[in-house]
Amino acid sequence: MNMPSLMDRLPHAFLLMCYCFTCVSVYGLEPELTVPQQVSLSSDMSAQQLSISWLGGAATTFDLMILRTELNKTVIYETVSVPVNPMNSRHQWNWTSVEPLECTSLSVQIRSRDGQMTSEWSNTQILQGSDLPSNKKFQMYPQDRVLPVGANITFCCIVEEGKFFGTMYTVNIGIMNTTRLSRRSYAATLVDLHPTGRTGTNILCYDNLKTKLTGAVMFVGYPPLLTDFVCETRDLTSAVCQWNEGRDTHFYARRETFYSVNESPKQKQIGYTVNQWEGNWTLVAVNPLGQYSLTDSAELGHRVRPVAPTNLFVPVNARNATVLWQWEYNSYSSLPLVCQVELNSHGYKTTVCGQWFCRTCILMKITVFKSAVVPSRISGSGETGAQYFPLKTKLLAPRLC
């Protein structure tokens, strides 16, 4: 019997080897990563924040690259972990720019990553800046920015089309160091800001011939920080609330602090009257940098600040006089008040009387001198009147026992 030759057996061996290698190569392949799709950009210019969202399949790690479009210069290249939103199957990542987003156009690309493996880059998406050739005017950003003391800020100047950049200038620093962002856009950064005056601080930008000028204003100050919030009553019905505004915020006009007590309409004035005693109050102070709140609470009888008596009258006898007065509020009859009458005669001052529920006080053993018109004053009222009595009398504002 003839045995098969090596050449006869070779095709079968070759096929078997190819088959085996095919199995190894097929089962050894890892699945390809999904290229991010439907990349979309949205911006919040005032916050200088760019929001990027995309469809990325099952991947949770991505490389993001943002470049300045005109100069093709990388602003940020970062690997981030972004889980999928189960509500819309999209990934979202937010980025805050040092420069205002209006300064120049930005290009965005994303790719999926798994360890050392990466997908292809997504299609480039561009956030248009204000330095496009179609926007020819001289511009500066940001405008009218309000900042806390100690903050940093970057301004950019976009030169008018056909002109050349000159300098950026501010009073406190002089000529500022600048960085070129695009063909027409230049940026400068201010650090560790100090409080500004009533009209803020100007940042100016000139062309090279100083024939063109643009600028911006910044306002630097503090958020509100109040102290000593307390509410009292004078008539046993309403509440008068007072507070101390604390440190100077360095903000004025529409940027100054506004106050509200128990959600009352906002006001600039310090002090507020609540028509009905509520027992609990919340003071909220708000300015462009934030808000600050204080609370106070008290029972009605524990926060009474009596007002001065009215209609003071002094009938005089040979050796005594009676001081009569009235209360401005009838509700005082329910209070245990201690009243005092101060006598002034020939440089001597005497305080007499201490009565509960007092309405009168009889002054005994006084020396009567020649009768004269002597002004008398009710303490706390600020009013004076003429009394035919040789002594000056002053009824002090009552106090609670």
Side-chain angles (χ1 to χ4, degrees), residues 44-50 66 68 74-76 93-104 106 141-142 145 147 151-157 179 181 185-191:
D44 182 342
M45 295 298 184
S46 62
Q48 298 179 192
Q49 188 174 86
L50 174 63
I66 301 176
R68 296 190 186 112
T74 301
V75 179
I76 182 173
W93 187 72
N94 298 323
W95 172 69
T96 300
S97 174
V98 174
E99 299 92 12
L101 295 178
E102 296 95 337
C103 294
T104 189
L106 297 172
Y141 299 97
R145 186 57 57 88
L147 299 156
N152 305 333
I153 185 172
T154 298
F155 289 90
C156 71
C157 173
T179 300
L181 304 181
S185 185
Y186 295 79
T189 300
L190 298 173
V191 300

Side-chain angles (χ1 to χ4, degrees), residues 301-304 306 335-338 398-401:
H302 294 173
R303 285 286 180 82
V304 183
L335 296 176
L337 297 174
V338 172
R399 59 184 175 85
L400 291 176
C401 298

Side-chain angles (χ1 to χ4, degrees), residues 145-153 190-196 218-223 247 249-251 287-290:
R145 186 57 57 88
V146 178
L147 299 156
V149 173
N152 305 333
I153 185 172
L190 298 173
V191 300
D192 192 21
L193 297 175
H194 298 287
T196 54
M218 67 176 179
F219 301 88
V220 183
Y222 295 98
R247 68 187 175 196
T249 64
H250 296 273
F251 293 132
N287 75 8
L289 291 181

Side-chain angles (χ1 to χ4, degrees), residues 101-165:
L101 295 178
E102 296 95 337
C103 294
T104 189
S105 298
L106 297 172
S107 299
V108 178
Q109 286 184 300
I110 310 170
R111 67 183 179 186
S112 302
R113 173 176 288 276
D114 183 6
Q116 297 302 312
M117 291 186 59
T118 59
S119 71
E120 296 294 324
W121 287 103
S122 67
N123 293 330
T124 301
Q125 297 296 313
I126 297 178
L127 179 72
Q128 301 286 6
S130 295
D131 59 345
L132 298 175
S134 58
N135 191 354
K136 299 181 180 181
K137 61 184 180 180
F138 219 157
Q139 307 161 67
M140 183 167 246
Y141 299 97
Q143 290 286 326
D144 300 331
R145 186 57 57 88
V146 178
L147 299 156
V149 173
N152 305 333
I153 185 172
T154 298
F155 289 90
C156 71
C157 173
I158 302 175
V159 184
E160 182 179 336
E161 190 68 54
K163 301 290 183 179
F164 294 96
F165 174 75

Side-chain angles (χ1 to χ4, degrees), residues 322-365:
T322 302
V323 182
L324 306 172
W325 61 86
Q326 292 180 338
W327 297 125
E328 182 176 349
Y329 303 109
N330 292 330
S331 54
Y332 280 16
S333 61
S334 65
L335 296 176
L337 297 174
V338 172
C339 301
Q340 293 176 312
V341 177
E342 186 179 273
L343 301 177
N344 289 277
S345 178
H346 290 247
Y348 293 97
K349 181 185 294 185
T350 305
T351 301
V352 298
C353 263
Q355 299 185 16
W356 293 65
F357 308 104
C358 49
R359 290 182 182 273
T360 64
C361 183
I362 300 176
L363 307 179
M364 305 295 292
K365 298 180 181 180

Side-chain angles (χ1 to χ4, degrees), residues 37-318:
Q37 302 291 324
Q38 298 182 26
V39 179
S40 66
L41 309 178
S42 61
S43 60
D44 182 342
M45 295 298 184
S46 62
Q48 298 179 192
Q49 188 174 86
L50 174 63
S51 180
I52 310 167
S53 69
W54 65 94
L55 293 175
T60 57
T61 303
F62 302 89
D63 295 336
L64 288 102
M65 183 166 56
I66 301 176
L67 305 94
R68 296 190 186 112
T69 304
E70 272 197 24
L71 301 183
N72 198 35
K73 185 174 181 179
T74 301
V75 179
I76 182 173
Y77 179 93
E78 190 169 331
T79 300
V80 295
S81 178
V82 185
V84 67
N85 184 340
M87 301 298 293
N88 57 15
S89 300
R90 297 183 70 85
H91 304 264
Q92 181 170 321
W93 187 72
N94 298 323
W95 172 69
T96 300
S97 174
V98 174
E99 299 92 12
L101 295 178
E102 296 95 337
C103 294
T104 189
S105 298
L106 297 172
S107 299
V108 178
Q109 286 184 300
I110 310 170
R111 67 183 179 186
S112 302
R113 173 176 288 276
D114 183 6
Q116 297 302 312
M117 291 186 59
T118 59
S119 71
E120 296 294 324
W121 287 103
S122 67
N123 293 330
T124 301
Q125 297 296 313
I126 297 178
L127 179 72
Q128 301 286 6
S130 295
D131 59 345
L132 298 175
S134 58
N135 191 354
K136 299 181 180 181
K137 61 184 180 180
F138 219 157
Q139 307 161 67
M140 183 167 246
Y141 299 97
Q143 290 286 326
D144 300 331
R145 186 57 57 88
V146 178
L147 299 156
V149 173
N152 305 333
I153 185 172
T154 298
F155 289 90
C156 71
C157 173
I158 302 175
V159 184
E160 182 179 336
E161 190 68 54
K163 301 290 183 179
F164 294 96
F165 174 75
T167 58
M168 291 179 68
Y169 174 89
T170 184
V171 174
N172 297 334
I173 296 177
I175 296 176
M176 304 162 66
N177 295 325
T178 57
T179 300
R180 191 172 192 175
L181 304 181
S182 70
R183 181 175 58 89
R184 294 168 52 204
S185 185
Y186 295 79
T189 300
L190 298 173
V191 300
D192 192 21
L193 297 175
H194 298 287
T196 54
R198 181 175 293 272
T199 58
T201 296
N202 295 321
I203 297 87
L204 304 176
C205 181
Y206 298 91
D207 68 353
N208 63 324
L209 300 178
K210 292 195 173 181
T211 58
K212 292 287 185 178
L213 166 69
T214 188
V217 184
M218 67 176 179
F219 301 88
V220 183
Y222 295 98
L225 184 63
L226 311 179
T227 60
D228 306 326
F229 176 52
V230 63
C231 295
E232 302 172 328
T233 185
R234 296 183 178 182
D235 59 5
L236 300 183
T237 300
S238 63
V240 178
C241 299
Q242 297 288 339
W243 58 88
N244 189 320
E245 67 178 340
R247 68 187 175 196
D248 184 2
T249 64
H250 296 273
F251 293 132
Y252 307 92
R254 62 188 176 91
R255 297 175 187 85
E256 68 182 294
T257 303
F258 286 81
Y259 305 99
S260 175
V261 177
N262 285 4
E263 300 182 347
S264 65
K266 292 180 181 179
Q267 63 178 47
K268 296 181 181 181
Q269 297 79 16
I270 294 177
Y272 183 75
T273 299
V274 183
N275 292 330
Q276 192 68 36
W277 184 270
E278 298 178 9
N280 296 283
W281 305 273
T282 298
L283 168 65
V284 178
V286 179
N287 75 8
L289 291 181
Q291 71 175 41
Y292 190 82
S293 63
L294 291 173
T295 60
D296 185 34
S297 61
E299 295 181 15
L300 177 61
H302 294 173
R303 285 286 180 82
V304 183
R305 181 179 290 273
V307 297
T310 61
N311 299 326
L312 180 66
F313 179 64
V314 185
V316 179
N317 298 315

